[in-house]
Amino acid sequence: MGFRVAWPEAFVKECEGQPIKNVVLGSSRGERSGDLVVTSYGLEGTPIYFAGTEGRVRLDLKPDLTEAQVLERLVGGKEKLSPIRAAQKRLGLGQAAHALLFHLLPRELQREAPRLAGAIKNFSLELLERQPLDEAISSSGGVHWMEVDDTAQLRRAPGVWLAGEMLDWDAPTGGFLLQACVSQGFMAGKAVARYLEDLHGQG
């Protein structure tokens, strides 16, 4: 699900609905590349879904360049530009990525090329509360694995099987999540078929 970010009003007015393309997001869970989308309340997108929890994250807005290469582009060129203007013109940043720098960084940092290069490679954001559960693409939590047998049948309620996000597990949104849910459903379905055959045989 998406997360709320305390955006300045001017940033939302300029960038709502805009993508922040080709970034690497780092969090306590590791790193994930992809695209983000700016919303009125915060951010959506695969890297945010991977982060999965509130707290501070960092964005690499130019993952294809080293910090030294970013700095070289900020200060290079024949045309004399301020660092923040050079970031827009020489780095190929999209509208939303450049607006992040312009609206969220202190003005003094925008005027110092080395510090601006560092921010481009390590832009810090605070993810606040999650969006409501009814807006979630996928969820974590559920019935603990100790409560089911090796066919995912509830130990306390024989004849009831669980699969997918009814169980306490989660996976990256997309193909991994779908494949695991389908595989668990297949396993549970085979167990249900055997259970029904046994009942029929007993009848």
Side-chain angles (χ1 to χ4, degrees):
M1 61 190 71
F3 281 82
R4 190 171 74 82
V5 179
W7 296 134
E9 183 177 345
F11 175 76
V12 174
K13 186 175 181 180
E14 180 180 343
C15 296
E16 184 178 1
Q18 294 288 325
I20 306 175
K21 297 187 73 65
N22 188 32
V23 300
V24 173
L25 182 145
S27 70
S28 59
R29 293 188 65 186
E31 294 187 340
R32 177 57 60 90
S33 61
D35 299 341
L36 301 172
V37 177
V38 176
T39 68
S40 60
Y41 52 80
L43 284 170
E44 296 277 352
T46 298
I48 287 292
Y49 307 149
F50 172 77
T53 189
E54 300 91 340
R56 193 153 294 277
V57 298
R58 62 191 184 280
L59 301 179
D60 183 345
L61 300 175
K62 289 298 294 185
D64 54 328
L65 298 177
T66 67
E67 187 171 331
Q69 289 171 324
V70 170
L71 178 58
E72 183 180 357
R73 295 194 184 190
L74 292 180
V75 299
K78 296 180 180 179
E79 187 179 6
K80 187 172 179 58
L81 299 172
S82 67
I84 190 66
R85 177 73 176 123
Q88 182 180 36
K89 192 164 185 179
R90 296 173 183 161
L91 289 175
L93 294 176
Q95 177 184 347
H98 183 262
L100 272 178
L101 302 173
F102 182 80
H103 290 288
L104 277 75
L105 292 180
R107 289 291 180 260
E108 62 271 16
L109 193 153
Q110 296 180 27
R111 292 191 288 264
E112 298 179 21
R115 296 177 68 191
L116 180 58
I120 290 168
K121 293 295 292 180
N122 191 19
F123 190 93
S124 181
L125 275 179
E126 184 76 18
L127 301 184
L128 304 176
E129 67 268 15
R130 299 174 175 91
Q131 288 302 102
L133 184 60
D134 59 5
E135 296 181 18
I137 293 174
S138 60
S139 63
S140 59
V143 176
H144 195 279
W145 288 98
M146 296 295 291
E147 297 295 323
V148 297
D149 64 17
D150 58 3
T151 69
Q153 179 180 213
L154 277 172
R155 298 182 188 278
R156 301 185 189 186
V160 177
W161 281 262
L162 306 180
E165 292 184 332
M166 292 187 287
L167 293 165
D168 184 17
W169 76 285
D170 61 277
T173 299
F176 293 110
L177 178 66
L178 293 172
Q179 180 60 60
C181 288
V182 169
S183 297
Q184 291 172 21
F186 179 75
M187 176 187 72
K190 288 179 67 176
V192 170
R194 289 194 299 270
Y195 177 80
L196 292 176
E197 287 177 1
D198 291 343
L199 283 182
H200 181 72
Q202 293 172 8

